[in-house]
Amino acid sequence: METTQGNIMIAMKLLGALGLLIFGMRMMSDALQKMAGPQLRHILGRMTTNRLTGMLTGTFVTCAVQSSSATTVMTVSFVSAGLLTLAQAISVIMGANIGTTLTAWIMSLGYNVDLTNFVFPAFAVGMTLIYRKRHRYAGDFLFGIAFMFLSLVMLSTAGKEMDLEHNEDVVSFFASFDTGSYLTILAFLAIGTVITCIVQSSAAVMAITILLCSTGVLPIYLGIALVMGENIGTTATANLAALGAGTEARRAALAHLLFNVFGVIWVLCVFYPFVNMVCSIVGYDPAQAGQTDRLPVVLAMFHTCFNVANTSLLIGLVPQMERVVCWLLPMKEQPQLEQLHLQYIESGLIQTPEIAILQAQKETAQFGARTQRMFGMTCQLLDETEDKTFTQLFRQVEHQEDLTDQTELEIARYLEQVSDRHLSDESKEKIRQMLREISELESIGDSCYHMARTMNRLQESGKSLQKLQTEHLKAMMNLCDDALTQMNIALSSPREEYDINESFRAENEINLMRQRLKADNLRAVDDKQYDYALGTIFGDLINECEKLGDYVINVVEARFGKKVVSLQPKWNKKEYL
């Protein structure tokens, strides 16, 4: 009875230590991403000019965040957001596989060095930093690494308490497997893959493998087979995250899977010589009993040698890998009738606020481009005289108005999901700015639709604007189009690179022309150059153009996060502080 209770307690300690390990690594990774989110984003976005720099970038980022899954999902998100090409993403993923080997070395350290002396000071310092808001992420990082080291101490202790090397049933069970048989190696490889897919943490499975090998019950060949399975199983995270994403994102996740599968295949072809070579580097003889203290180092060394060798073989074949994944996942044909499809936002890929906000910014820029295309359709109505063509074009503007409404709701819904996360003050401000941007962009769509309805009313009445009115209205619309162009440059450019004065010049010109045309319109009606009804329609169109200009400047203002000073306030009715 006591033996049974003791085994249950040891099993609970083992499960608790594994849970603490996963939690600690997740906490440490999240804290690092929050501390260095913008920097990591810029590193991934800019330091991938060629395959080598992309690989080194992936290695560096994964070593920093201690999670290849986080780096890979981040990379897949960047591909979805259009910040990285597929070829760049593949090289980053290769580097991520090298960077994740640091985790195995840390774990092997935990079985050879007493980490207890580090754990408790880390908790004390981390607690102090957490209560200081400025350094709370640094405190979270220290807590995460302390939890990770504590779990390694607990795993080592639980392994000693289990005393597996003296448990005849366990020893005979593992001894029953023929380590010289490829079928056995394949079976353990499959077990490692399945367990990692289920647990969604290669670190946890690596910890179990190191624990079993360090007790001497699991032969090194079988332990290495489990490690190879973990390399395949860890790709499940990115592939699951990319399921609801676009084709490019799914291609990047598939490339990660193919990379690891290819590595496992060629290592299996030279399995025993390769493992023996790694053992000789560490100074371990697989044929000799004992030396269990070196087994964690052997596993860490194999993990490193495997990923470095695999990357060295495939780094020159990135274009070929790109062609293979493009062939396996061809781009779907787009339907002829335009439907709402958000290009950059994929709700299944929300991993860190930085990435999510970046995706929303890219989608907002796309929204701005859509409103300008809609305005272009509205301008075409002015020159269209054939009833059938006019009606078709008007229906397209109506459809675009529906799409702008849907786009606003979808982006707002996505930002609401992001706002549920733990955000910095800067991230909260960015979300508030984007919510205002999409609201004003939707108003631009409304203005275009109102102009189209006014033109449709004029078409149905059988009347038409006079030549001079048409020329004036086209000039006004050209100014509005220029304003929209400046707005879209502001939405898609870094804020420090955009000259806000360009947007105000465009808006001031719209306001000035509106005042002049309004006065001219009143004089023309008084002089009986055209009737009052035609003058009213013309005035409505001019006023709607001026409203559109106001919405445009509101978008630019929201983009800059503050009110800015107009160049010529005498032309503008608004006050900018």
Side-chain angles (χ1 to χ4, degrees):
M1 184 67 178
E2 291 182 3
T3 305
T4 304
Q5 289 180 345
N7 290 336
I8 292 175
M9 287 303 299
I10 292 173
M12 293 300 293
K13 287 180 182 179
L14 183 63
L15 291 174
L18 287 173
L20 192 63
L21 173 66
I22 296 172
F23 174 75
M25 293 197 67
R26 180 63 182 270
M27 189 175 186
M28 182 179 65
S29 177
D30 287 348
L32 277 168
Q33 290 179 62
K34 288 172 184 175
M35 281 193 294
Q39 288 78 11
L40 292 179
R41 186 187 76 197
H42 293 311
I43 288 170
L44 276 176
R46 296 180 182 180
M47 290 185 62
T48 54
T49 53
N50 57 57
R51 286 172 244 174
L52 182 60
T53 58
M55 184 267 293
L56 293 175
T57 301
T59 303
F60 167 76
V61 172
T62 306
C63 287
V65 301
Q66 275 302 288
S67 172
S68 62
S69 295
T71 304
T72 306
V73 172
M74 198 185 304
T75 304
V76 169
S77 299
F78 282 149
V79 173
S80 179
L83 295 176
L84 290 178
T85 65
L86 181 58
Q88 289 173 325
I90 292 172
S91 62
V92 172
I93 288 168
M94 289 179 176
N97 278 269
I98 296 176
T100 194
T101 62
L102 181 62
T103 305
W105 284 106
I106 293 174
M107 289 182 182
S108 67
L109 181 71
Y111 282 86
N112 292 283
V113 178
D114 185 7
L115 299 172
T116 311
N117 295 330
F118 172 84
V119 169
F120 296 108
F123 276 129
V125 176
M127 181 64 71
T128 305
L129 293 176
I130 285 174
Y131 280 99
R132 298 182 63 184
K133 288 189 175 181
R134 264 183 81 183
H135 305 291
R136 63 181 181 273
Y137 296 141
D140 288 341
F141 169 74
L142 279 176
F143 255 65
I145 199 169
F147 278 133
M148 185 178 73
F149 284 169
L150 180 61
S151 67
L152 293 175
V153 173
M154 292 170 63
L155 282 171
S156 180
T157 304
K160 293 174 182 176
E161 291 178 359
M162 289 167 69
D163 196 25
L164 293 178
E165 62 268 32
H166 296 112
N167 188 317
E168 294 182 3
D169 293 334
V170 176
V171 172
S172 61
F173 172 75
F174 284 109
S176 65
F177 294 101
D178 182 8
T179 57
S181 169
Y182 267 98
L183 288 176
T184 303
I185 301 301
L186 289 172
F188 273 77
L189 189 150
I191 292 170
T193 302
V194 172
I195 294 176
T196 307
C197 288
I198 294 172
V199 178
Q200 285 290 293
S201 173
S202 59
V205 184
M206 175 65 80
I208 296 173
T209 306
I210 292 176
L211 173 65
L212 291 174
C213 285
S214 65
T215 58
V217 298
L218 182 66
I220 188 61
Y221 293 112
L222 303 186
I224 285 176
L226 287 176
V227 172
M228 290 196 298
E230 293 156 18
N231 271 270
I232 297 176
T234 193
T235 64
T237 304
N239 279 277
L240 288 172
L243 280 178
T247 304
E248 286 297 315
R250 286 186 284 118
R251 285 173 175 174
L254 178 61
H256 188 203
L257 174 62
L258 292 179
F259 172 76
N260 283 3
V261 168
F262 177 82
V264 167
I265 290 173
W266 75 257
V267 167
L268 283 174
C269 295
V270 292
F271 182 74
Y272 293 102
F274 190 84
V275 173
N276 291 336
M277 179 198 71
V278 172
C279 291
S280 65
I281 294 173
V282 178
Y284 173 78
D285 185 3
Q288 185 178 346
Q291 297 181 301
T292 55
D293 57 322
R294 293 190 180 183
L295 286 174
V297 180
V298 173
L299 290 173
M301 180 61 75
F302 172 82
H303 200 207
T304 302
C305 291
F306 167 76
N307 283 294
V308 170
N310 197 30
T311 300
S312 301
L313 285 173
L314 292 179
I315 192 69
L317 301 176
V318 170
Q320 287 74 16
M321 288 186 67
E322 184 179 13
R323 284 198 290 270
V324 169
V325 294
C326 289
W327 175 72
L328 291 173
L329 286 175
M331 193 71 72
K332 293 181 180 178
E333 293 184 4
Q334 296 296 326
Q336 292 183 353
L337 293 176
E338 184 181 5
Q339 301 293 328
L340 178 65
H341 174 69
L342 300 184
Q343 184 174 349
Y344 298 108
I345 286 180
E346 306 291 350
S347 59
L349 286 177
I350 295 181
Q351 293 295 322
T352 61
E354 273 294 329
I355 295 174
I357 290 171
L358 185 64
Q359 287 177 306
Q361 286 175 341
K362 298 277 285 184
E363 198 64 61
T364 302
Q366 286 291 102
F367 191 8
R370 177 186 289 280
T371 60
Q372 187 167 14
R373 292 195 299 271
M374 182 181 177
F375 181 72
M377 294 179 188
T378 306
C379 294
Q380 291 177 35
L381 290 172
L382 195 59
D383 293 323
E384 194 55 60
T385 55
E386 187 181 344
D387 288 345
K388 183 178 179 182
T389 308
F390 183 95
T391 302
Q392 290 176 346
L393 194 55
F394 177 70
R395 297 302 176 202
Q396 289 183 33
V397 175
E398 275 190 321
H399 181 60
Q400 287 296 321
E401 203 274 333
D402 289 337
L403 291 181
T404 57
D405 290 344
Q406 293 176 40
T407 304
E408 180 196 17
L409 290 175
E410 289 298 324
I411 297 177
R413 191 174 295 122
Y414 183 78
L415 290 173
E416 286 176 359
Q417 293 178 20
V418 178
S419 63
D420 289 338
R421 304 295 182 94
H422 183 66
L423 302 174
S424 64
D425 293 338
E426 181 184 359
S427 296
K428 291 177 183 177
E429 182 59 29
K430 285 181 181 178
I431 289 178
R432 283 193 290 268
Q433 291 171 13
M434 276 188 284
L435 287 172
R436 185 183 171 196
E437 287 172 22
I438 61 175
S439 175
E440 298 295 342
L441 287 170
E442 193 275 333
S443 296
I444 292 174
D446 288 343
S447 271
C448 293
Y449 181 53
H450 292 157
M451 280 189 272
R453 284 200 307 177
T454 302
M455 293 182 198
N456 186 54
R457 192 169 72 246
L458 180 66
Q459 180 83 357
E460 290 175 346
S461 69
K463 297 180 180 180
S464 60
L465 296 175
Q466 293 189 358
K467 182 180 179 181
L468 187 61
Q469 287 179 306
T470 303
E471 290 176 356
H472 287 162
L473 186 55
K474 284 184 177 179
M476 186 69 157
M477 286 181 164
N478 285 336
L479 291 178
C480 289
D481 191 59
D482 289 342
L484 286 166
T485 299
Q486 291 299 324
M487 177 195 76
N488 283 317
I489 292 173
L491 287 175
S492 58
S493 303
R495 279 183 277 192
E496 61 274 9
E497 295 179 8
Y498 180 71
D499 184 5
I500 184 67
N501 293 329
E502 294 299 323
S503 287
F504 271 99
R505 286 192 188 96
E507 195 221 5
N508 287 331
E509 288 177 5
I510 292 172
N511 291 339
L512 185 63
M513 180 170 277
R514 181 246 183 182
Q515 291 175 8
R516 182 169 63 82
L517 292 181
K518 183 178 180 181
D520 290 346
N521 187 47
L522 290 175
R523 281 195 298 271
V525 172
D526 288 341
D527 294 341
K528 309 298 182 181
Q529 294 178 19
Y530 43 78
D531 60 26
Y532 181 80
L534 200 59
T536 301
I537 289 176
F538 178 73
D540 288 345
L541 291 171
I542 294 300
N543 287 333
E544 204 61 58
C545 284
E546 193 272 337
K547 286 183 183 177
L548 186 145
D550 288 342
Y551 296 138
V552 167
I553 204 66
N554 288 344
V555 172
V556 176
E557 182 184 284
R559 169 68 174 152
F560 279 80
K562 59 183 178 181
K563 290 183 180 291
V564 286
V565 181
S566 171
L567 287 178
Q568 294 170 298
K570 64 180 181 180
W571 288 351
N572 199 345
K573 295 180 181 179
K574 296 184 178 181
E575 291 183 2
Y576 294 94
L577 303 178

